Amino acid sequence: MLLVWLLTGIYGGPIALAVIPLSMIILLNQGKFDEALLGFFLILILSDSRQQNMEFAAKAKDICLLTLTAGMVLFRDSFIPVSRTFMRFLPFFAFALIGLIYSQTIGTAAQKTLSYFLILLIVPNYLLTAWRNQGHIFFRNLIFFTALLLVAGFVLRVFLPATVTLEGRFTSILGNPNGLGIFVFLFVMIFVYIDVELKNVFTKTERWIIYGIAFTSIILCNSRSALLALLIFFGFRYLYRFSPAFGFVVFLVLVLGYQYLMLNFESIVYSLNLQEYFRVETTSREVLLVSRRYGEKGMRELRLDSVIIANNSEERVSVA
């Protein structure tokens, strides 16, 4: 079914906006809530693509969201007991509603707020229902489905590299490399949680394959933050397994030595011959631009590790 959506969207144009919701209704009517949810995930991922033939996904995602909402109402007996995860986010939405008053684009802001509310209301309920219907096999399918999407990016990199590359960095089927880094990081976190909480869902070989796909994607997209986050996560995970006390000591050492590490980051990277991967020259230019703008006194007051320069432009500097 998902392949039909993809082909219809690429070659059918506007027809996809009718085919996708209608087929999703058929899936819901057949009780295939897991497939409907995975289809929604696919549309959300493809909507981030920069390719013109994927524009249908950006237009279809809102229709899919409304279709899933209607499905939850029409087949409400299947969603009992209802997940109350969204209740934890009510303070956030209350704050968002207050923010709408000061928004210069209140129409767009209201639509975004409503979309996030519906996602937090619907997705947990579909996940819970799919798990009740299929058990652990649903989460196994979810992980392999996501891994398959990442593998599709590898295939495109071989045969159609221009479609999965942005300024020399790998984007897979997403729109930008940093987005891919965030996506893979969250994928690994979810996979580890499922693997730990639901015993014997994956074999040892399957674990290595999934980790291999994830780390290959991280390395190819050249996302330094995502790679560092994963290394920190797995490093401390195994340290605390070995000895919680030793892990805590290492954590304190890293906290105390963080500033020294950042000040000598460039020298360390050059000594390891990793300057191209970490794009040290780009980082140096960014620091130079900040120095020119804020002056020597300002540089002493700023935390250099919290400075972000968008698109290497002197006019677009933001300090976290």
Side-chain angles (χ1 to χ4, degrees):
M1 184 68 76
L2 300 185
L3 183 60
V4 173
W5 291 8
L6 184 61
L7 294 176
T8 305
I10 294 175
Y11 299 107
I15 298 176
L17 300 182
V19 171
I20 292 175
L22 287 175
S23 57
M24 183 174 282
I25 292 173
I26 294 174
L27 291 175
L28 295 175
N29 190 49
Q30 295 175 347
K32 297 180 179 180
F33 302 104
D34 57 318
E35 293 187 27
L37 182 61
L38 293 179
F40 180 55
F41 285 164
L42 176 64
I43 294 298
L44 287 180
I45 293 169
L46 294 180
S47 67
D48 188 54
S49 176
R50 296 173 293 105
Q51 302 306 312
Q52 188 174 1
N53 56 8
M54 294 296 170
E55 289 182 354
F56 76 93
K59 299 175 181 178
K61 63 180 181 181
D62 293 333
I63 300 175
C64 290
L65 180 58
L66 294 175
T67 303
L68 290 177
T69 305
M72 187 174 171
V73 175
L74 294 174
F75 306 103
R76 53 186 174 274
D77 292 341
S78 300
F79 294 91
I80 297 175
V82 176
S83 171
R84 295 189 171 274
T85 302
F86 73 95
M87 296 291 290
R88 302 177 182 178
F89 294 89
L90 289 181
F92 163 78
F93 286 109
F95 185 78
L97 290 174
I98 296 174
L100 288 177
I101 302 174
Y102 304 97
S103 175
Q104 296 179 354
T105 55
I106 189 169
T108 302
Q111 292 176 21
K112 294 291 185 182
T113 303
L114 178 61
S115 296
Y116 283 119
F117 176 78
L118 291 178
I119 288 175
L120 288 171
L121 173 65
I122 290 168
V123 172
N125 280 287
Y126 274 86
L127 279 172
L128 186 61
T129 301
W131 177 64
R132 283 198 296 258
N133 293 344
Q134 291 191 319
H136 296 352
I137 193 67
F138 165 71
F139 292 105
R140 178 181 170 86
N141 292 339
L142 175 63
I143 293 298
F144 280 120
F145 174 75
T146 308
L148 183 62
L149 295 179
L150 295 176
V151 171
F154 299 156
V155 175
L156 290 173
R157 187 173 185 269
V158 175
F159 295 101
L160 297 170
T163 62
V164 291
T165 305
L166 179 64
E167 297 182 357
R169 297 174 63 189
F170 180 61
T171 65
S172 190
I173 60 175
L174 280 82
N176 67 80
N178 291 328
L180 176 61
I182 296 172
F183 178 82
V184 173
F185 175 77
L186 293 176
F187 167 63
V188 172
M189 295 298 101
I190 293 172
F191 169 67
V192 171
Y193 178 80
I194 292 174
D195 190 38
V196 171
E197 293 297 321
L198 308 178
K199 307 297 184 182
N200 302 319
V201 176
F202 303 97
T203 65
K204 185 176 181 180
T205 302
E206 289 169 344
R207 292 190 191 99
W208 282 111
I209 291 174
I210 292 170
Y211 283 135
I213 293 172
F215 273 95
T216 301
S217 297
I218 288 288
I219 293 171
L220 289 177
C221 76
N222 201 3
S223 177
R224 298 169 294 190
S225 299
L227 179 61
L228 181 61
L230 283 179
L231 292 177
I232 291 174
F233 171 75
F234 284 107
F236 277 102
R237 185 185 181 205
Y238 287 104
L239 278 176
Y240 275 91
R241 277 185 177 181
F242 173 73
S243 171
F246 181 69
F248 182 71
V249 171
V250 173
F251 172 75
L252 289 179
V253 171
L254 288 177
V255 170
L256 296 175
Y258 176 75
Q259 198 67 26
Y260 175 81
L261 178 65
M262 288 297 99
L263 291 174
N264 295 275
F265 176 76
E266 187 173 330
S267 300
I268 296 172
V269 170
Y270 272 109
S271 66
L272 296 174
N273 199 28
L274 294 173
Q275 61 272 18
E276 292 185 5
Y277 182 82
F278 284 97
R279 305 191 299 281
V280 172
E281 292 184 1
T282 302
T283 306
S284 299
R285 286 198 300 270
E286 293 172 352
V287 173
L288 179 60
L289 290 175
V290 176
S291 177
R292 289 175 179 174
R293 175 164 180 170
Y294 289 95
E296 187 175 339
K297 181 180 178 180
M299 287 294 291
R300 288 197 298 266
E301 296 175 354
L302 292 174
R303 290 175 58 90
L304 294 182
D305 56 289
S306 64
V307 175
I308 302 173
I309 301 183
N311 299 328
N312 297 329
S313 172
E314 292 194 46
E315 282 83 19
R316 299 179 64 186
V317 179
S318 63
V319 181

